[in-house]
Amino acid sequence: MATENIEVKERALNFLEEIIEESMAKGEKRVQTRFPPEPNGYLHIGHAKSICINFGLAQRYGGLCNLRFDDTNPVKEDVEYVDSIKRDIKWLGFDWAEERYASDYFDQLYEWAIVLIKKGLAYVDDQTQEQIRENRGTVAEPGKPSPYRDRSVEENLDLFERMRAGEFEDGAKVLRAKIDMAHPNMLFRDPIMYRIIHAEHHRTGNKWCIYPMYDYAHGQSDSIERITHSICTLEFDVHRPLYDWFIAALDIFPSHQYEFARLNLTYTMMSKRNLLKLVKEGAVMGWDDPRMPTICALRRKGYTPASVRAFAEMVGVAKRDNVIDLGKMEYCVREDLNKVAERRMAVLNPLKVVITNWEEGKVEMRRAVNNPEDEAAGMRDVPFSKVIYIERDDFMENPPKKYFRLSPGGEVRLRYSYLIKCEEVIKDAEGNIVELHCTYDTLSGEGSSSDGRRVKGVIHWVSAEHAVEAEIRLFNPLFKTEDPFDTSEGQLSWEDNLNPESLIVTKGYLEPALAAAKVGETFQFERVGYFCVDTDSVDGKMVFNRTVTLKDSWAKINK
Ligand code: ATP
Ligand code: MG
């Protein structure tokens, strides 16, 4: 798939663009970025933002962006995730210059570790993890040097080689950089470079039983790829001096790290670890359950790539952490779907209406506009007949003033069809309204009424005999609290904040044209919302997901 031609909008430069433009003004010719996911889960909307930044900057400045899998922990990683990550990036409309893996660099990283040992800048430590942690000290107190800190270069080379050869058990030894056990930045207190993990790696198999730590692998991988701007989230700012330290100690290509604020969204949780828990425990249908914040879930729910990119652009690039209103994301998809989604009629909560003066068995095709925002979308036929369904909410027995929909004795326009007047309300023994008897104005088919009287209300409808029944899934936020980690009401954990009404399944009656809709296609059900054909659809049983409501409803209700 080729990279879409993504429009660059005119606006003030963000701070990353300013940095790049400054360096270009000083003669820097090249912009090379990378997106570095760890393949231990599916990408979420926060990653989408990072993708838009990294690929977007490369695009804007005629540079390149690599996709690099940060696959340094064999225990948590899997090819399933690698594949999904690639699919999601392409779906967003981006393409990488090169597909790389941190594991491609294991040999080089190992050789560089030897260089550092030889320079007296790394040593093998036999302390246990607990001892290492205890001896690291605190912010107020310096750490205690390891009793193994002053091993000779020869001994370190020998032990490190034997670590690699598999002579020692997991946790028996680590390789540490020899920096400063009293350093005010705790990360400088002899950070661990390698640990022993006897586990099969999804790419390197059993070749290695020592694996590099993030701090040792990331900057060096950037340097190997000659990344000019290594962009990551704010929590890595304390790692930056160490990133620079390794590059300087090895005297290799100087990549630089820049940090921006991670995306946080109300009612949304973005930790892969916790999302995996939801999947494993069956709290959701899977990684692509439309209630999840993952990219594949947004796709399944009916979000368009353009709407996700517009959202990333709208929230911008900040230097300070903040929380974005979920309503903004919904706004972006609504805006985009309004332009591209074809209109259809569907009734979700039906009330039967019999048109008493309509000839039995007669079917008339009404012409309907597919998309008022796009003339090229054309028109379609919608069958009209004696018995139709309207939305229960579009009828009121005792309407207030200024109620423009249907009521006893009142008139309403049926979208793309006739004016009807409610003559009789039929109830069951319990007094529930089961059916309306209406008459239609025979001359009102082309827009106006027969005598020029004005009728304000327009409602949608579906011919009962032609209606396609479908399962409709209505989604609400997965969490009932704006902050999923909120424990102010005595919740024990974020799991107590899961919204029991996040999924509501109902039945819909759709106009027959929708029977031909394909998985992934999104429509505006007029006056109801945007809906997308779900992957669970099978012949004879369609399933539609509500992508988004027509108006921002819940955000206001919950505030
Ligand atoms: P999580 O904590 O959700 O598992 P992560 O940071 O561990 O996320 P990585 O696969 O390591 O996930 O992230 C790949 C890239 O995406 C990193 O550069 C990371 O900074 C960025 N990223 C992750 N989460 C967000 C977010 N919420 N907003 C913006 N960027 C993010
Ligand atoms: Mg991570």
Side-chain angles (χ1 to χ4, degrees):
M1 190 201 291
T3 297
E4 270 177 56
N5 197 3
I6 294 163
E7 187 188 342
V8 179
K9 290 217 179 77
E10 276 312 311
R11 52 155 174 73
L13 296 183
N14 65 46
F15 81 96
L16 292 170
E17 290 160 352
E18 275 171 8
I19 288 168
I20 291 179
E21 299 209 358
E22 269 167 37
S23 63
M24 291 184 120
K26 286 187 198 137
E28 176 69 62
K29 297 251 170 350
R30 219 167 46 86
V31 171
Q32 171 90 51
T33 56
R34 87 285 170 267
F35 173 65
E38 186 179 355
N40 63 349
Y42 283 67
L43 296 182
H44 52 58
I45 181 72
H47 295 115
K49 173 153 178 60
S50 176
I51 291 167
C52 289
I53 292 174
N54 279 297
F55 284 92
L57 286 174
Q59 230 161 36
R60 185 175 180 124
Y61 295 104
L64 298 170
C65 180
N66 285 351
L67 168 60
R68 185 199 316 139
F69 291 100
D70 181 15
D71 58 349
T72 51
N73 185 349
V75 187
K76 292 189 293 172
E77 296 157 5
D78 205 316
V79 267
E80 173 197 351
Y81 302 131
V82 168
D83 295 341
S84 76
I85 288 169
K86 287 171 24 177
R87 192 180 332 125
D88 289 347
I89 297 172
K90 289 200 170 170
W91 178 78
L92 274 175
F94 297 107
D95 208 353
W96 45 91
E98 290 187 50
E99 177 181 335
R100 299 290 189 100
Y101 293 80
S103 57
D104 294 341
Y105 310 139
F106 282 172
D107 284 291
Q108 177 68 81
L109 292 171
Y110 180 78
E111 278 167 36
W112 278 338
I114 290 174
V115 170
L116 293 180
I117 293 174
K118 287 184 178 163
K119 285 190 176 182
L121 292 175
Y123 63 97
V124 173
D125 193 351
D126 297 3
Q127 293 183 104
T128 62
Q129 259 197 338
E130 291 76 62
Q131 289 168 327
I132 291 176
R133 202 177 308 125
E134 271 168 31
N135 291 337
R136 188 163 277 154
T138 63
V139 185
E141 269 174 69
K144 275 200 217 98
S146 163
Y148 306 97
R149 196 170 196 262
D150 292 320
R151 277 175 161 155
S152 69
V153 168
E154 288 67 38
E155 193 182 358
N156 282 320
L157 288 173
D158 174 60
L159 288 172
F160 186 50
E161 169 54 36
R162 286 161 58 195
M163 275 169 69
R164 175 199 178 151
E167 249 183 64
F168 310 113
E169 284 177 10
D170 287 11
K173 290 183 170 27
V174 292
L175 183 74
R176 297 177 75 176
K178 191 171 178 178
I179 310 182
D180 180 356
M181 286 305 291
H183 201 285
N185 181 339
M186 300 288 286
L187 294 173
F188 273 70
R189 296 189 183 176
D190 291 6
I192 296 172
M193 292 165 60
Y194 274 94
R195 71 266 204 235
I196 302 172
I197 305 176
H198 288 272
E200 188 166 307
H201 185 279
H202 71 102
R203 296 192 87 232
T204 57
N206 292 306
K207 178 174 174 193
W208 297 91
C209 63
I210 55 169
Y211 290 93
M213 300 294 288
Y214 173 88
D215 281 320
Y216 179 62
H218 202 88
Q220 278 56 263
S221 301
D222 283 342
S223 178
I224 291 169
E225 294 174 28
R226 303 180 79 76
I227 302 299
T228 55
H229 297 80
S230 175
I231 295 158
C232 62
T233 37
L234 276 184
E235 67 273 20
F236 288 98
D237 67 341
V238 291
H239 295 253
R240 187 182 350 103
L242 186 55
Y243 179 106
D244 294 339
W245 186 90
F246 278 119
I247 284 180
L250 291 165
D251 192 21
I252 54 179
F253 177 83
S255 295
H256 290 289
Q257 177 186 301
Y258 303 90
E259 307 92 20
F260 71 97
R262 64 192 296 127
L263 173 70
N264 300 301
L265 272 179
T266 55
Y267 302 97
T268 307
M269 190 172 59
M270 273 191 252
S271 136
K272 275 185 282 191
R273 194 165 47 90
N274 292 342
L275 295 176
L276 178 63
K277 194 159 185 240
L278 289 175
V279 173
K280 282 201 169 147
E281 288 174 0
V284 292
M285 297 181 263
W287 281 102
D288 68 347
D289 183 306
R291 292 167 292 178
M292 293 279 274
T294 51
I295 296 178
C296 55
L298 292 172
R299 173 168 63 231
R300 179 170 174 189
K301 196 175 177 187
Y303 273 65
T304 57
S307 66
V308 178
R309 293 195 304 263
F311 173 65
E313 179 72 26
M314 178 191 252
V315 301
V317 183
K319 270 198 226 181
R320 226 177 282 158
D321 278 322
N322 59 357
V323 183
I324 304 290
D325 192 331
L326 183 53
K328 281 193 179 165
M329 196 163 87
E330 300 196 334
Y331 168 85
C332 289
V333 72
R334 210 177 273 126
E335 285 282 289
D336 192 46
L337 290 178
N338 179 45
K339 283 183 259 157
V340 301
E342 292 202 357
R343 275 54 168 174
R344 296 289 184 268
M345 290 198 288
V347 171
L348 299 198
N349 188 11
L351 175 59
K352 187 174 165 189
V353 173
V354 179
I355 319 270
T356 51
N357 59 339
W358 188 270
E359 203 181 307
E360 195 76 50
K362 179 179 162 190
V363 178
E364 186 176 298
M365 286 300 174
R366 305 298 311 177
R367 295 292 283 165
V369 176
N370 283 333
N371 184 353
E373 305 286 323
D374 176 13
E375 221 177 296
M379 314 255 302
R380 70 185 185 286
D381 285 333
V382 186
F384 183 77
S385 66
K386 190 174 180 74
V387 181
I388 62 172
Y389 294 129
I390 66 168
E391 215 68 69
R392 233 162 226 283
D393 285 356
D394 284 335
F395 175 79
M396 269 184 105
E397 199 172 13
N398 300 299
K401 266 192 182 163
K402 303 220 169 170
Y403 182 79
F404 297 122
R405 291 168 282 164
L406 204 56
S407 57
E411 260 187 319
V412 79
R413 156 102 29 214
L414 295 174
R415 187 89 164 119
Y416 309 117
S417 187
Y418 297 94
L419 291 176
I420 56 168
K421 183 174 177 190
C422 177
E423 312 281 0
E424 196 181 354
V425 180
I426 315 290
K427 296 182 178 175
D428 64 12
E430 277 97 58
N432 301 309
I433 300 170
V434 290
E435 184 173 316
L436 302 178
H437 286 181
C438 295
T439 50
Y440 81 108
D441 176 341
T442 54
L443 299 176
S444 65
E446 301 315 315
S448 54
S449 56
S450 52
D451 60 2
R453 58 186 194 285
R454 287 180 48 211
V455 174
K456 276 200 176 155
V458 182
I459 63 173
H460 61 279
W461 52 275
V462 171
S463 163
E465 72 170 287
H466 301 93
V468 176
E469 288 183 25
E471 178 177 324
I472 307 283
R473 296 178 182 168
L474 305 174
F475 302 105
N476 291 309
L478 190 53
F479 291 92
K480 51 188 183 194
T481 47
E482 206 166 288
D483 171 8
F485 295 99
D486 187 351
T487 50
S488 62
E489 311 268 324
Q491 302 94 321
L492 295 179
S493 79
W494 56 268
E495 282 156 292
D496 290 340
N497 286 326
L498 284 166
N499 178 6
E501 284 164 24
S502 59
L503 168 63
I504 295 164
V505 178
T506 171
K507 197 154 106 180
Y509 297 83
L510 323 178
E511 66 163 273
L514 283 166
K518 293 185 188 62
V519 169
E521 273 187 292
T522 306
F523 300 91
Q524 185 194 97
F525 290 178
E526 291 202 48
R527 303 180 60 241
V528 181
Y530 291 97
F531 290 80
C532 170
V533 184
D534 188 68
T535 46
D536 281 347
S537 297
V538 289
D539 269 354
K541 183 176 179 272
M542 299 186 87
V543 179
F544 279 82
N545 298 319
R546 182 170 69 196
T547 311
V548 69
T549 51
L550 282 185
K551 289 195 198 101
D552 186 352
S553 48
W554 64 266
K556 277 185 215 105
I557 293 164
N558 282 280
K559 282 259 160 72

